[in-house]
C-alpha cells in the first residue's frame, strides 16, 4: 500500500474522531443555558446580567470544542504527517 | 465542481530575508486589515466632525456607544479603569469589522491566526504589566508557587495558555464558519448539478441563512467575548 495514502486516510479518520469532542461543549452549554433560564424565571429583573454571564460561560465552555475543530482543520488542510514518507 | 479552501493568499514576498523575521510578505489578511483600518479611521473622522455641546443626530449615537463601553469597562474592571476603554473599544471594533468584512466578499481578517494571536499577545503583555505593577515583580513570581511549589510548572503553562486559548477560540470560530460555509456551498452546487436543474435553486436561500449565523452572529459574539476576556483578565490582575 502507498504509505502516503494510508497516512492521508488515517488523518481524515482522525479529523472525524477529533470532532467527537463536540459532545462535551454541547452538554455543557445546554446545561448553562438551562440554568440561566431558571435564574431568569426566578428573577426576571436580573436578565441582562444573567445573559451576559451566560454568554461568557458558554464561550469558555466552547473553547475545548474549538480546539478540536482546529486540530481537525490542521489534520485536513495542513497535515504535518503526510510529508514524512517521500 | 471542486471546492477549494485556502489560507490567506500571499500577494507579494520580498527577495531579501531579515534575521528573526524571515521573508517579509504582504498577505490577503494584511490588505483586508488595511481596508478595515481605513473604514475605522473614516468612521472616527465622520463621527467627530463639528461636535456640539448638546448632542443630536450622529453625535448622540456615538456618545451612547462610548458611554456604553465606559460602563462595561467600569463594571468589569472596577472604578478607575477608564483608561482601558479606548483599547477595549478598538479591539471590539476591529474584531467586528474584521469578521464582517466577509459579508462583502473579502476574506475575514480574523480567519487568520496571525491576527488574533497578535491581539492576544498584546492583551497578554497588558496582563503581565498589570500584574507586575500591582503585585511587584517578586509578588508576581511568588504567585506561581501559589498552593505549593510543586504546582509551579502547571501555573506557568496556564499563564502561557491564556493568549493561546484566546486567539485559538476567535480564529477557530471564524475559520470554522468559513470552512463550513464553503463546504455547504460546494455541496449545494453539486446537488443542483446532479439533479440537472435549469437554475441552481438550492444555492439561493440556504447559504444566506447560514451566513447570518456564522458571519454576523459569530463575528459579533466573538468580538464581545475577546474584549470581555481582556477586561476580565486585566481587571483581575489589577485587583489581586
Amino acid at each position: 500500500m502507498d504509505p502516503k495514502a494510508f497516512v492521508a486516510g488515517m488523518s481524515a479518520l482522525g479529523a472525524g474522531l477529533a470532532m467527537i469532542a463536540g459532545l462535551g461543549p454541547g452538554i455543557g452549554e445546554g446545561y448553562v443555558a438551562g440554568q440561566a433560564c431558571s435564574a431568569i424565571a426566578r428573577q426576571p429583573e436580573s436578565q441582562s446580567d444573567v445573559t451576559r454571564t451566560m454568554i461568557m460561560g458558554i464561550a469558555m465552555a466552547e473553547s475545548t470544542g474549538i480546539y478540536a475543530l482546529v486540530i481537525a482543520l490542521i489534520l485536513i488542510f495542513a497535515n504535518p504527517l503526510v510529508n514524512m514518507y517521500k | 465542481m471542486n471546492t477549494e479552501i485556502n489560507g490567506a493568499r500571499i500577494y507579494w514576498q520580498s527577495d531579501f530575508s531579515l534575521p528573526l523575521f524571515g521573508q517579509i510578505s504582504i498577505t490577503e489578511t494584511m490588505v483586508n486589515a488595511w481596508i478595515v483600518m481605513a473604514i475605522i479611521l473614516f468612521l472616527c473622522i465622520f463621527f467627530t466632525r463639528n461636535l456640539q455641546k448638546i448632542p443630536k443626530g450622529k453625535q448622540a449615537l456615538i456618545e451612547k456607544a462610548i458611554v456604553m463601553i465606559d460602563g462595561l469597562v467600569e463594571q468589569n474592571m472596577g472604578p478607575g479603569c477608564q483608561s482601558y476603554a479606548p483599547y477595549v473599544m478598538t479591539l471590539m471594533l476591529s474584531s467586528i469589522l474584521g469578521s464582517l468584512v466577509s459579508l462583502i466578499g473579502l476574506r475575514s481578517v480574523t480567519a487568520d491566526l496571525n491576527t488574533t494571536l497578535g491581539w492576544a499577545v498584546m492583551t497578554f503583555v497588558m496582563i503581565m504589566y498589570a500584574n507586575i505593577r500591582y503585585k511587584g515583580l517578586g509578588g508576581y513570581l511568588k504567585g506561581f508557587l501559589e498552593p505549593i511549589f510543586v504546582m509551579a510548572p502547571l501555573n506557568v503553562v496556564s499563564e502561557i495558555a491564556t493568549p493561546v486559548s484566546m486567539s485559538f477560540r476567535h480564529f477557530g470560530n471564524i475559520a470554522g464558519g468559513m470552512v463550513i460555509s464553503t463546504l455547504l456551498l460546494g455541496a449545494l452546487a453539486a446537488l443542483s448539478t446532479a439533479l440537472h436543474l435549469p437554475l441552481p435553486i438550492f444555492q439561493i436561500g440556504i447559504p444566506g441563512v447560514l451566513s447570518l449565523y456564522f458571519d454576523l452572529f459569530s463575528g459579533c459574539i466573538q468580538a464581545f467575548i475577546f474584549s470581555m476576556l481582556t477586561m476580565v483578565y486585566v481587571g483581575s490582575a489589577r485587583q489581586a
Side-chain angles (χ1 to χ4, degrees), chain B residues 197-209:
Chain B
L197 294 176
L199 276 175
I201 297 173
F202 293 111
Q203 293 173 58
I204 293 173
I206 302 170
V209 178

Side-chain angles (χ1 to χ4, degrees), chain B residues 147-163:
Chain B
I148 39 170
F149 67 93
V150 188
M151 298 289 279
L154 285 178
N155 284 333
V156 172
V157 167
S158 77
E159 192 80 0
I160 295 170
T162 307

Side-chain angles (χ1 to χ4, degrees), chain B residues 19 24 26 59 70 98 105 138 146 151 153 163 192 229 232:
Chain B
I24 308 276
I26 293 181
Q59 195 189 341
D70 275 355
E146 236 342 286
M151 298 289 279
S192 300
L229 284 177
V232 169

Side-chain angles (χ1 to χ4, degrees), chain A residues 29 48-49 51-53 55-64 66-67 69-71 73-74 76-77, chain B residues 5 72 75-76 161 164-166 168-169 171-173 175-176 179 213 221-222 224-225 228-229 232-233:
Chain A
E29 286 175 24
S48 62
D49 279 350
T51 310
R52 204 178 51 237
T53 317
I55 288 177
M56 277 292 296
I58 283 182
M60 297 297 280
E62 203 175 40
S63 47
T64 50
I66 287 175
Y67 298 155
L69 177 69
V70 169
I71 292 203
L73 289 179
I74 288 173
I76 294 175
F77 295 112
Chain B
I5 299 166
L72 202 69
Q75 198 174 7
N76 285 300
V164 173
S165 81
M166 273 173 88
F168 268 56
R169 182 179 302 124
F171 159 74
N173 220 312
V179 168
Y213 175 76
I221 230 73
Q222 286 302 320
F224 177 70
I225 284 162
M228 200 80 173
L229 284 177
V232 169
Y233 283 136

Side-chain angles (χ1 to χ4, degrees), chain A:
Chain A
M1 197 190 327
D2 182 15
K4 220 168 167 176
F6 182 70
V7 171
M10 278 301 172
S11 304
L13 255 179
L17 285 177
M19 289 317 290
I20 293 176
L23 272 178
I27 295 171
E29 286 175 24
Y31 186 70
V32 169
Q35 292 287 313
C37 269
S38 64
I40 291 173
R42 214 171 293 139
Q43 281 181 306
E45 69 274 5
S46 69
Q47 185 182 10
S48 62
D49 279 350
V50 170
T51 310
R52 204 178 51 237
T53 317
M54 181 191 78
I55 288 177
M56 277 292 296
I58 283 182
M60 297 297 280
E62 203 175 40
S63 47
T64 50
I66 287 175
Y67 298 155
L69 177 69
V70 169
I71 292 203
L73 289 179
I74 288 173
L75 278 178
I76 294 175
F77 295 112
N79 197 327
L81 305 175
V82 168
N83 295 322
M84 269 172 63
Y85 298 96
K86 292 293 171 197

Side-chain angles (χ1 to χ4, degrees), chain B residues 183-215:
Chain B
L183 285 180
L184 186 90
L185 205 61
L188 291 173
L191 187 63
S192 300
T193 325
L195 296 178
H196 301 293
L197 294 176
L199 276 175
I201 297 173
F202 293 111
Q203 293 173 58
I204 293 173
I206 302 170
V209 178
L210 213 69
S211 155
L212 205 65
Y213 175 76
F214 282 120
D215 291 333

Side-chain angles (χ1 to χ4, degrees), chain B residues 20-79:
Chain B
L20 196 70
F21 290 104
Q23 282 177 315
I24 308 276
S25 46
I26 293 181
T27 61
E28 205 177 358
T29 307
M30 286 167 71
V31 174
N32 292 354
W34 291 336
I35 295 171
V36 168
M37 282 183 217
I39 294 173
I40 292 177
L41 194 64
F42 171 76
L43 285 178
C44 286
I45 294 172
F46 174 74
F47 276 112
T48 52
R49 285 284 92 169
N50 58 52
L51 296 175
Q52 309 287 321
K53 180 134 194 193
I54 299 162
K56 61 177 183 184
K58 62 181 193 201
Q59 195 189 341
L61 193 77
I62 202 68
E63 279 190 13
K64 177 95 175 125
I66 302 269
V67 166
M68 206 176 74
I69 296 286
D70 275 355
L72 202 69
V73 169
E74 192 168 334
Q75 198 174 7
N76 285 300
M77 298 175 68

